[in-house]
Amino acid sequence: MSLFSRNAEDLPGISGTVRDGSRRERALKRMSAGDIVVIDAPDISRPLAQQLIDAEVAAVINTGAFTTGFVPNYGPHMLLNADIAMVENAGSEAFDKLKDGKVGRLHEGKLYYGDRRVAAGDVVDEAALEASFDEANANMVDRLEALSGNLVEFAKTESPLYIDGLGIPNESEPLHGRKVVVVSPGEGHKETLEELKNFIREYEPLLIGVDSGADTLFEMKYGRTTSSVTRRVLTRRPCAAPVA
């Protein structure tokens, strides 16, 4: 029997049952007061933070960052206000050494089973949290300013299109009451379209290709008649403003 097993109460840090959150729904159902929960939740949301607070967990170890700087999120503030210890950037490899339900100890950003360290990250305090939140706020403002500039430029160059409809292809396919999938050339759009193949087969939505997204539809055989259903590519016209 290890020293930790005999005298856990004498060792520094937070002791509690460790919950492996790699399967989040299962972990959320099993966690209870005093647990140490390890999750993969970059930019942790308010609903998830509230679930952790309601369960009265003692600590949350995030394999990513509680705030990545992409969006300002309030989930970390909720955890901090609830006096829940937070450690971030532990890395996905932390899940490899976890044993769900085993008692562990969290001290100075490191998680131990007995005297064996199984995970480590950065302790999140109020100062670090505020700095991350301010950075995310500034980044969002920059993106909104860039988007506004794109919209102004679009209004200057494309007003005949969105005011009078000049340049919109004549299309016989009905749109009213029909599901529509817009394919734009964003990162991973081919993979996303592949994941939607069952949806497309079942609901036969109208597929709209934007810029090189139209080429992707043709490459994946959606630009021609398949299964007695004609799926048309409405436009290959470049778009000044990004399409989500």
Side-chain angles (χ1 to χ4, degrees), residues 58-114:
V60 177
I61 300 175
N62 199 337
T63 59
F66 284 101
T67 298
T68 64
F70 186 72
V71 293
N73 58 319
Y74 289 95
H77 291 82
M78 295 168 63
L79 296 176
L80 188 69
N81 292 338
D83 293 326
I84 295 176
M86 292 186 289
V87 174
E88 64 182 0
N89 300 321
S92 58
E93 62 274 9
F95 291 121
D96 298 337
K97 300 179 180 180
L98 294 184
K99 294 182 179 179
D100 187 78
K102 185 173 181 177
V103 175
R105 177 174 62 93
L106 180 65
H107 178 56
E108 295 182 345
K110 301 176 180 64
L111 179 65
Y112 297 89
Y113 285 146

Side-chain angles (χ1 to χ4, degrees), residues 119-201:
D122 306 316
V123 176
V124 178
D125 57 21
E126 186 173 3
L129 189 58
E130 290 300 330
S132 298
F133 187 84
D134 290 343
E135 179 186 1
N137 243 338
N139 289 340
M140 187 176 70
V141 170
D142 291 342
R143 290 196 301 275
L144 289 174
E145 288 178 348
L147 177 60
S148 298
N150 283 345
L151 290 175
V152 170
E153 182 62 25
F154 183 78
K156 290 179 180 179
T157 60
E158 302 289 352
S159 56
L161 173 66
Y162 68 83
I163 293 177
D164 297 320
L166 299 179
I168 296 177
N170 293 324
E171 181 53 49
S172 60
E173 291 285 335
L175 286 171
H176 181 70
R178 188 174 180 183
K179 292 177 172 59
V180 175
V181 174
V182 179
V183 181
S184 60
E187 182 179 353
H189 73 285
K190 291 184 179 180
E191 292 78 7
T192 301
L193 192 59
E194 180 67 25
E195 292 172 357
L196 291 173
K197 63 182 181 181
N198 291 333
F199 170 83
I200 294 172
R201 183 183 302 111

Side-chain angles (χ1 to χ4, degrees), residues 20-29 39-42 45 48:
D20 181 350
S22 56
R23 298 174 63 180
R24 185 181 299 175
E25 292 303 320
R26 178 184 177 187
L28 291 176
K29 291 178 181 178
I39 59 174
D40 178 17
S45 65
L48 177 55

